[in-house]
Amino acid sequence: MTVTIGPSSSPSPSTTEPGASRPKRGATASRDGTGPVRHSRRTKALVLGGVVFFTLYSLAPVWWLIVSATKNQSDLYTTNGLWFSDLHFTDNLKALFTYQDGIFLKWLWNTLYYGVVGTAGMTLVCVACGYGLAMYQFRGRGVLMGCIIGSFLVPHALLTIPSFLLFTDLRIVDTPSAIIVPSLFNAFSVYLAKVYAEGAIPPELLEAARIDGAGEYRIFFTVGARLMSTGAATIFLLGFVGSWNSFFGPLVFLRTPEKWTVMVGLYSWLKVKVDTSADLTGMVVVGSLLSLIPMVILMISMQRFWRSGVTLGSIK
């Protein structure tokens, strides 16, 4: 009997039978390995069409706002709303800043003041609460966290009347405190800070700081707060946007026009058209466009915080 030792006669993995089908270009293997998954042109066209549609749907109001801010009162109603007519943007700005002795600038300052002070305090409080819930073990921790999460289910509108009665007793209605104090605590921001602290702060780093003799407050401000800077920036941004666009709270708690925010002030100008024969729609459009500028500046200026690593400050 002759035994032949040599290369295996079985076909190599790279060889295929003449009748076997090969995956077409643009096809990828399925997860279960049964065959290729073909991405048809129709699927790609639907996905691309959906992206284009939602992009246009998102940008169309901003485009209309920009175009309408350049028109005078008559062109605003008689010309195409999505294209320019005669440019009157400079005149519209002059009318906006001079109407009622420039009260629009006062509204801008009030909104910026309420937003910065209230959101900065809220960021500090919520970051500290989230840090404590994530880094310390104490009795009732789970119950407290459950109460914070459960508060998500309570609509803010239900708290308006109790808050108004409380602020009336405290004599802070129609004062900046009526807007700033309620914004100092946000349950969602506490939950966000807790989740971020659990992933961004190594417990070993805190133990090393304690061994070196650092106190808990020093550890929080020099280690914990720096490691949570990216999460704190996100909390500040979300809080500031919510404060800037807040309408119901300032409408209920503020009575004097000089203390109103931009949203309440522009709403009052729209009511002028209903109550009297004056039409201030043009100034409302220009004011709405100008109110977007602080949001754009904030988004651009805070990008560097989001790009930083989650362990910022832990490496010496």
Side-chain angles (χ1 to χ4, degrees), residues 50 52 67 85 100 160 183 190 195 228 270 287 292:
V52 173
V67 171
S85 182
Q100 292 182 348
T160 302
S183 63
V190 173
V195 174
M228 296 178 64
L270 286 177
L292 296 178

Side-chain angles (χ1 to χ4, degrees), residues 40-308:
S40 63
R41 293 182 178 179
R42 180 179 299 178
T43 303
K44 295 180 180 179
L46 288 176
V47 173
L48 182 60
V51 171
V52 173
F53 173 77
F54 284 109
T55 301
L56 294 177
Y57 180 80
S58 302
L59 296 180
V62 180
W63 174 252
W64 178 88
L65 194 63
I66 295 174
V67 171
S68 300
T70 62
K71 299 179 180 181
N72 57 15
Q73 198 68 30
S74 60
D75 292 342
L76 187 61
Y77 294 106
T78 59
T79 60
N80 186 4
L82 297 178
W83 197 246
F84 297 93
S85 182
D86 296 334
L87 296 180
H88 297 277
F89 185 68
T90 304
D91 298 334
N92 294 338
L93 285 179
K94 183 178 179 180
L96 177 67
F97 292 145
T98 57
Y99 185 74
Q100 292 182 348
D101 298 328
I103 195 173
F104 179 77
L105 294 176
K106 182 64 176 178
W107 293 340
L108 277 179
W109 167 252
N110 293 338
T111 311
L112 184 64
Y113 174 72
Y114 301 154
V116 171
V117 176
T119 308
M122 183 269 294
T123 302
L124 178 61
V125 171
C126 294
V127 168
C129 291
Y131 172 85
L133 289 172
M135 296 293 105
Y136 298 115
Q137 299 291 335
F138 54 90
R139 182 176 299 179
R141 176 171 172 260
V143 176
L144 179 60
M145 195 62 206
C147 294
I148 292 175
I149 297 177
S151 64
F152 297 168
L153 304 177
V154 180
H156 292 285
L158 294 180
L159 303 177
T160 302
I161 296 178
S163 298
F164 184 81
L165 296 176
L166 176 62
F167 293 166
T168 302
D169 294 338
L170 296 176
R171 300 182 184 275
I172 61 174
V173 175
D174 199 24
T175 64
S177 299
I179 306 300
I180 296 175
V181 172
S183 63
L184 292 179
F185 183 83
N186 185 279
F188 177 76
S189 298
V190 173
Y191 176 75
L192 181 63
K194 175 186 178 296
V195 174
Y196 190 87
E198 290 176 344
I201 303 177
E204 297 80 6
L205 191 62
L206 303 184
E207 291 297 331
R210 294 188 182 100
I211 293 175
D212 291 340
E216 296 300 325
Y217 289 102
R218 183 178 180 184
I219 293 175
F220 169 71
F221 286 106
T222 59
V223 179
R226 293 187 179 183
L227 294 177
M228 296 178 64
S229 60
T230 303
T234 304
I235 292 173
F236 181 86
L237 177 64
L238 296 177
F240 186 84
V241 172
S243 176
W244 187 271
N245 296 325
S246 179
F247 173 76
F248 196 61
L251 179 65
V252 173
F253 298 127
L254 299 179
R255 293 286 183 261
T256 307
E258 286 75 14
K259 299 178 182 178
W260 286 348
T261 60
V262 171
M263 301 304 165
V264 178
L266 295 179
Y267 172 74
S268 68
W269 282 357
L270 286 177
K271 289 184 60 179
V272 171
K273 182 180 178 180
V274 179
D275 298 337
T276 64
S277 59
D279 190 357
L280 305 178
T281 306
M283 289 193 298
V284 172
V285 171
V286 179
S288 300
L289 179 61
L290 294 182
S291 65
L292 296 178
I293 297 177
M295 295 293 98
V296 176
I297 295 176
L298 183 65
M299 292 288 293
I300 295 175
S301 62
M302 298 191 68
Q303 284 184 355
R304 62 188 185 95
F305 291 98
W306 301 332
R307 295 175 182 174
S308 60

